[in-house]
Amino acid sequence: MKYHKIDSSLFINNRHNFISKMKPDSLAVFNSNDIYPISADSTMPFAQHRDIFYLSGVDQEESVLVLFPDCPKENHREVLFLKETNEHIAVWEGEKLTKEAALDTSGIKTVYWLKDMEKIMFELMTQCDTVYINTNEHYRASVETETREDRFTKWLKDKYPAHSVAKSNPILQRLRSVKAQVEIDLMQKACDITEKGFRRVLNFVKPDVWEYNIEAEFMHEFLNNRSKGFSYTPIIASGKNANVLHYIENNQQCKAGELILIDAGAEYANFASDMTRTIPVSGRFTKRQKDVYNAVNRVKNDATKMLTPGTLWAEYHIEVGHLMTSELLGLGLLDKADVQNEDKDWPAYKKYFMHGTSHHIGLDTHDYGMLTEPMQANNVFTVEPGIYIPAEGFGIRLEDDLVIQDEGEPFNLMRNIPIEADEIEDIMNS
C-alpha cells in the first residue's frame, strides 16, 4: 500500500465496538472484495471492502474475518483467513500478508490460510446459534454484480440452514458514522492532499486548457503524496457542462470567460475526501458570476453552522432550502410569485438547486450513517450547495468536509483550501 501503516489499535477498538453489539452465541463473517475482471486477463485495480478494512485493517483480496466473542476456544474468538503466499505469487504479484504481518496489521493472533476455512468454519458453526451476514443496505446502493460477500452468504445459508441469521449492516451503519480521532486524522490527510492538488490547478488553469489536463494535474499531485488517486470519478466541468450534475467525460476545452466546476477529492488509506470548487478559466469572475458564487458561498457557510449534535438531516435540508430560496430571490432567478405558487414536494428553489446539501463521508465517499437519527459529534458530513443556470451557461457548487463537534460549529477539514472568490482570483493571477 502507498499509505503509511495505521496503528492496529484502531482496528482492535473497532472490533471491540462491533462485538459489544452482537447477540449471545453469535458469529459474524466479513469478506474482502473480488478483483473484478475487465476482459482477457485484464482486471480492475483492487479496492478493499470497507467493512473488513474497518474491522481488521487488512487491505488484500481473498481475505475473510470471523468474529465469535463467545467461542469456547479463546483463540477462535477473532480469526482471519488469508490467501496463502508462496514463491510464485511473490515473484509475479509481490508477497501477500504473512501470518506475522497480519497480526501486526490487525491485532488478530489467530490467522489461518484460506484453504482451511471450510473445516474450521464447520467447527465454529456447530458452536454458535446465530450468524451475522454482511449485506449492503446503504440508502444509495444499487448493486447488480454478485459480490464475494453475496456468494459466501449463499454458501453459508445453504450449508447451515438451521442457524438464525442477523444483519451486520445496522451495527456498522452506526459505528462507522462516528469517527475515531485516528480516522479523522486520516481524513485530514486526504483533504490536505486534495488541497495540494487544488493549489496546483489554480496555478495551471488558463484559457484553452482541456478538462482532462486539469484532471491529470490532480492525479500527479495525489500520487506524489501517497494517495492511490481520486476518491470517486472526478468532475471537471467547464461552461455549460457544470449543469450536468454527474458530468465525468472531462473531454472539453476550457474557454476564456467560462467557469470550471471541479468536484474532486483524494483518497488516503481508503478514506475519502470530497471537495468542490468553481474557478474562472481566465482568472477573474464576471460580476454576475461572482454574485452567484458569493450567494452559493453564503448558503454553504450558513448551512455549515447548522451541523450540530441533535440536528435532524431532513429538517436541516428544509432549512437550507429556505436559505437558497432567499438567495435566488436576490439574484432575480426567482420572484415572489414563484415561491407563493410552489409545489411543496418540489419547492421553487429546486429549479436551480436540485440535489441534497450534505451526506456522510468516511471510508466511502457516500459513507454509512443513519439519516433518520439525530446528528452527533464526530459524524463527518459534506456541505455542498449549488446554483445551476443552463440559460446563462454556467453552474456553481462549493463543498467542504465537516466534523461535527460536541459544541459549537463543526471543524472544517478543508479550512485551508481556498474558497473565497477574491482569494481564488489572487492566486490565479499571482
Side-chain angles (χ1 to χ4, degrees), residues 396-411:
I396 294 172
R397 182 166 68 248
L398 300 172
E399 177 182 22
D400 284 336
D401 301 343
L402 291 304
V403 185
I404 293 181
Q405 304 294 291
D406 287 312
E407 296 180 351
E409 294 184 18
F411 180 77

Side-chain angles (χ1 to χ4, degrees), residues 97-105 111:
L97 282 172
T98 63
K99 293 182 179 182
E100 294 75 20
L103 167 61
D104 186 48
T105 296
V111 182

Side-chain angles (χ1 to χ4, degrees), residues 74-94:
E74 185 175 350
N75 69 321
H76 280 171
R77 292 175 185 171
E78 294 183 340
V79 179
L80 271 175
F81 296 98
L82 300 178
K83 179 180 181 178
E84 185 174 5
T85 191
N86 56 45
E87 290 184 8
H88 177 79
I89 290 173
V91 169
W92 287 90
E93 301 176 25

Side-chain angles (χ1 to χ4, degrees), residues 207-225:
D208 297 329
V209 300
W210 293 76
E211 293 166 345
Y212 56 76
N213 297 146
I214 298 170
E215 183 177 346
E217 293 298 307
F218 274 108
M219 182 60 91
H220 177 99
E221 202 67 36
F222 291 177
L223 290 176
N224 266 341
N225 285 278

Side-chain angles (χ1 to χ4, degrees), residues 297-332:
N297 203 16
R298 284 192 294 271
V299 173
K300 188 191 77 70
N301 291 336
D302 289 341
T304 295
K305 296 172 185 176
M306 298 184 211
L307 294 180
T308 57
T311 298
L312 290 172
W313 188 79
E315 294 178 0
Y316 159 77
H317 279 95
I318 291 172
E319 290 303 313
V320 173
H322 294 155
L323 293 172
M324 182 59 77
T325 298
S326 177
E327 293 292 349
L328 292 172
L329 287 167
L331 291 167

Side-chain angles (χ1 to χ4, degrees), residues 2-4 189-190 192-197 200 218-229 266-269:
K2 292 183 175 70
Y3 55 85
H4 291 288
K189 178 67 173 176
D192 291 346
I193 296 171
T194 300
E195 178 193 354
K196 291 181 179 182
R200 181 185 182 93
F218 274 108
M219 182 60 91
H220 177 99
E221 202 67 36
F222 291 177
L223 290 176
N224 266 341
N225 285 278
R226 291 182 174 267
S227 166
K228 285 188 298 187
E267 72 80 46
Y268 181 77

Side-chain angles (χ1 to χ4, degrees), residues 390-428:
E392 298 182 34
F394 69 90
I396 294 172
R397 182 166 68 248
L398 300 172
E399 177 182 22
D400 284 336
D401 301 343
L402 291 304
V403 185
I404 293 181
Q405 304 294 291
D406 287 312
E407 296 180 351
E409 294 184 18
F411 180 77
N412 189 352
L413 295 171
M414 294 185 163
R415 63 200 176 280
N416 295 325
I417 302 179
I419 194 168
E420 297 298 326
D422 291 344
E423 182 182 9
I424 286 173
E425 287 182 333
D426 287 345
I427 295 171
M428 294 185 75

